[in-house]
Amino acid sequence: MKQICVIGVGYVGLVTAACFADLGNRVVALDVDRQRVENLKKGIMPIYEPGLEELVKRNTKGGRLSFTTSYAEALKGAEFAFIAVGTPSGVDGNADLQYVDAAARSIAQNMTVPLIIINKSTVPIGTGDWVADIVKSAQPKPIDFAVVSCPEFLREGSAIGDFMSPHRNVIGSLDKDAANKVAQLHLPLRSPIVITDLRTAEMIKYASNAFLATKISFMNELADLCELVGADVKEVAAGMGYDARIGRHFLDAGLGWGGSCFPKDVEALAYMAKEKGLNPRILHQVMEVNYDRRKAVVGHLEKLLNGSLQGKAIGLLGLAFKPNTDDMRDAPSIDISNSLLAAGANVRGYDPVARRIAAPLMPAVEIFDDVYKMAQGCDALVVVTEWNEFKQLDLEKVKGLLKCPVIYDGRNIYDPAALKTMGFTYRAIGRGFNGH
Ligand code: NAD
Ligand code: UGA
């Protein structure tokens, strides 16, 4: 059993804390957000993540997991301190490191015994060295410490499974002893462990996210061509995916990528390249192709409805940036609803879990708590997020409720032939029949 402090109880921090506790460690999780900490003490989760509530409650009850707002309390006796605070986009596209800076200073001021500081947040290359400088200069008296980069690769919606069965763990430090201790901590996960230097570890994280985003943008560009030449991008992806060099994952064409990470991380990587005098052409195109997916929705709907969207009621199926999360950060639904509103449409929205968080972000959108109520009288529905609930809709009932039986399937969840037979005017993404 090791004693661990986790700083930040958001998507990454809370999952990290709960999982390390479940692996038998003693974990104190800390956040500056008092409300979050008070709620967690009562068993109320700050985020929606499948399986998290049960895991947190089990480990809290077992005495392995506790929550605090006090750095002194969280660091007391801890051998490891994970930094898992947010690194959102700054004004210029680079990552905003103010929360990492604050966490590093608080650690320096409150540590009383030697400590391994592990950075789990996604941070620009060189941040580990910068954190080491901050800690050194902010310590009231010198106490040994090492800084290790251990980027997180979990996905929202499947975070616990991803943490517990990772494809790999990356550990970056020039301090071999610290790196080995962090590797030991991860041994129960039985994952391949890549031990490297700090900067390489930081780069592996950005490279991985940017590459996955590139795969998706590539397929989205291909989807447009598939439509024009009469090919089906879903089958193209399946056919490509059998090649182990390509892999089947992250080849799903649709309305593109969003969320709290791909957008900010691709942008931050491009920023870093530009800052060093390079021209990151691929990264810029990856972003441009992605944002064009959102812009194209209005034009496609105008074609489907044979004219202007002025006064038309359009219902959005799904608001969260992906299924199984309530995260609305850079969700495609926000840009899509704004462009539909600008085109004069009345926009409605439904999401199984993100309604409360979505509502203030899209005040002009009428949010419904029932998908069928939303469909009543709509001129068209747009599938924005592929929640399973939408795959199982009673489509005959939906057809009866809609003013026009029009579905724009932005995530390719329906069987085109079945929908056509049912009498829907149906448009998918990148499936050849659209152009024929
Ligand atoms: P988040 O916004 O959900 O949570 C961050 C938490 O840190 C918040 O609760 C906030 O109150 C707290 N915090 C801020 N400053 C603090 C401080 N000085 N001391 C203590 N707590 C503080 O963020 P997230 O989505 O968990 O992301 C965290 C980092 O992990 C980011 O760098 C992100 O890029 C990276 N990451 C995120 C995911 C993901 O799926 N969300 C996956 C992998 C990596
Ligand atoms: C992503 C990465 O997958 C994680 O490995 C990484 O840890 C995380 O970012 C991060 O750094 O925060 P996440 O954003 O939670 O995880 O979700 P993904 O499943 O990767 O989806 C991202 C976006 O891509 C979503 O908007 C999704 O709809 C879209 N997507 C995904 C596609 O459009 N097509 C696909 O084939 C896959």
Side-chain angles (χ1 to χ4, degrees):
M1 185 190 84
K2 296 288 182 191
Q3 186 140 341
I4 297 169
C5 156
V6 176
I7 297 162
V9 292
Y11 288 90
V12 168
L14 189 53
V15 170
T16 300
C19 288
F20 273 127
D22 210 50
L23 293 170
N25 300 289
R26 170 84 188 91
V27 182
V28 184
L30 170 144
D31 206 290
V32 286
D33 185 331
R34 287 186 179 279
Q35 190 61 53
R36 280 195 164 196
V37 170
E38 284 315 309
N39 283 346
L40 278 163
K41 285 181 179 173
K42 292 182 209 144
I44 302 167
M45 298 302 111
I47 51 167
Y48 173 85
E49 181 61 43
L52 187 60
E53 185 171 339
E54 195 262 320
L55 194 70
V56 168
K57 284 186 173 161
R58 173 149 47 89
N59 285 286
T60 311
K61 211 172 156 195
R64 292 179 298 276
L65 178 61
S66 59
F67 301 97
T68 182
T69 53
S70 157
Y71 270 89
E73 188 185 325
L75 289 168
K76 197 170 171 207
E79 190 182 343
F80 302 96
F82 282 91
I83 298 179
V85 299
T87 50
S89 264
V91 275
D92 48 8
N94 198 11
D96 175 356
L97 292 177
Q98 61 169 306
Y99 306 107
V100 176
D101 181 309
R105 284 177 202 284
S106 301
I107 291 172
Q109 283 150 11
N110 290 282
M111 61 188 280
T112 52
V113 290
L115 187 67
I116 299 177
I117 300 165
I118 307 164
N119 193 15
K120 248 203 181 312
S121 298
T122 304
V123 290
I125 291 87
T127 301
D129 296 326
W130 176 75
V131 164
D133 289 344
I134 291 174
V135 174
K136 208 169 175 184
S137 64
Q139 280 181 330
K141 63 173 190 303
I143 303 174
D144 269 359
F145 72 92
V147 175
V148 176
S149 166
C150 185
E152 181 50 60
F153 298 94
L154 63 76
R155 290 161 301 171
E156 292 177 21
S158 53
I160 295 167
D162 288 348
F163 188 96
M164 290 298 204
S165 309
H167 293 285
R168 79 301 207 184
N169 282 109
V170 174
I171 296 168
S173 180
L174 288 179
D175 182 329
K176 291 281 169 254
D177 185 47
N180 284 334
K181 283 184 176 153
V182 177
Q184 289 286 332
L185 204 56
H186 289 84
L187 278 189
L189 301 177
R190 297 167 184 273
S191 59
I193 293 183
V194 179
I195 297 189
T196 180
D197 62 88
L198 257 176
R199 286 170 187 244
T200 305
E202 290 166 344
M203 181 55 106
I204 289 171
K205 174 62 195 177
Y206 278 103
S208 301
N209 272 5
F211 187 73
L212 292 171
T214 304
K215 278 182 97 172
I216 301 168
S217 285
F218 176 84
M219 291 310 288
N220 279 329
E221 184 159 288
L222 212 66
D224 290 344
L225 182 58
C226 282
E227 283 183 18
L228 298 174
V229 298
D232 183 337
V233 78
K234 265 191 111 161
E235 291 178 25
V236 171
M240 289 165 70
Y242 282 109
D243 187 329
R245 294 171 302 171
I246 298 172
R248 174 61 189 89
H249 300 290
F250 285 70
L251 297 182
D252 293 331
L255 294 175
W257 40 269
S260 65
C261 292
F262 282 2
K264 78 169 172 62
D265 292 347
V266 178
E267 201 173 357
L269 189 59
Y271 178 92
M272 282 180 258
K274 252 182 95 181
E275 214 191 11
K276 293 287 175 204
L278 299 174
N279 178 10
R281 283 165 295 182
I282 292 180
L283 296 178
H284 285 144
Q285 291 303 312
V286 164
M287 290 188 273
E288 195 177 322
V289 167
N290 188 57
Y291 291 106
D292 282 352
R293 310 307 292 170
R294 304 177 186 187
K295 290 184 199 149
V297 173
V298 166
H300 289 150
L301 278 172
E302 283 170 345
K303 269 193 199 152
L304 286 169
L305 293 169
N306 298 316
S308 156
L309 299 185
Q310 190 66 42
K312 297 274 162 61
I314 310 293
L316 304 184
L317 293 172
L319 302 171
F321 85 94
K322 63 178 279 193
N324 298 320
T325 183
D326 58 357
D327 200 339
M328 286 293 300
R329 290 178 282 185
D330 208 338
S333 63
I334 299 173
D335 282 350
I336 291 169
S337 61
N338 283 338
S339 53
L340 289 170
L341 288 164
N346 300 318
V347 186
R348 306 174 181 185
Y350 169 80
D351 190 282
V353 304
R355 294 190 295 273
R356 189 181 53 79
I357 294 171
L361 299 173
M362 36 181 72
V365 175
E366 193 182 356
I367 309 262
F368 285 75
D369 58 9
D370 180 279
V371 69
Y372 296 103
K373 276 191 209 150
M374 182 187 77
Q376 173 87 52
C378 269
D379 292 275
L381 292 179
V382 182
V383 180
V384 181
T385 316
E386 66 277 32
W387 285 92
N388 277 340
E389 181 177 323
F390 303 145
K391 298 175 187 164
Q392 305 301 332
L393 282 186
D394 179 346
L395 288 172
E396 281 297 352
K397 183 172 167 182
V398 169
K399 196 177 140 216
L401 292 168
L402 291 173
K403 200 193 279 176
C404 318
V406 174
I407 292 187
Y408 176 14
D409 183 357
R411 297 291 177 184
N412 286 342
I413 62 172
Y414 295 124
D415 172 8
L419 265 82
K420 275 198 172 166
T421 309
M422 287 173 74
F424 278 99
T425 300
Y426 174 74
R427 188 190 201 290
I429 303 269
R431 312 195 73 179
F433 52 84
N434 286 329
H436 290 262

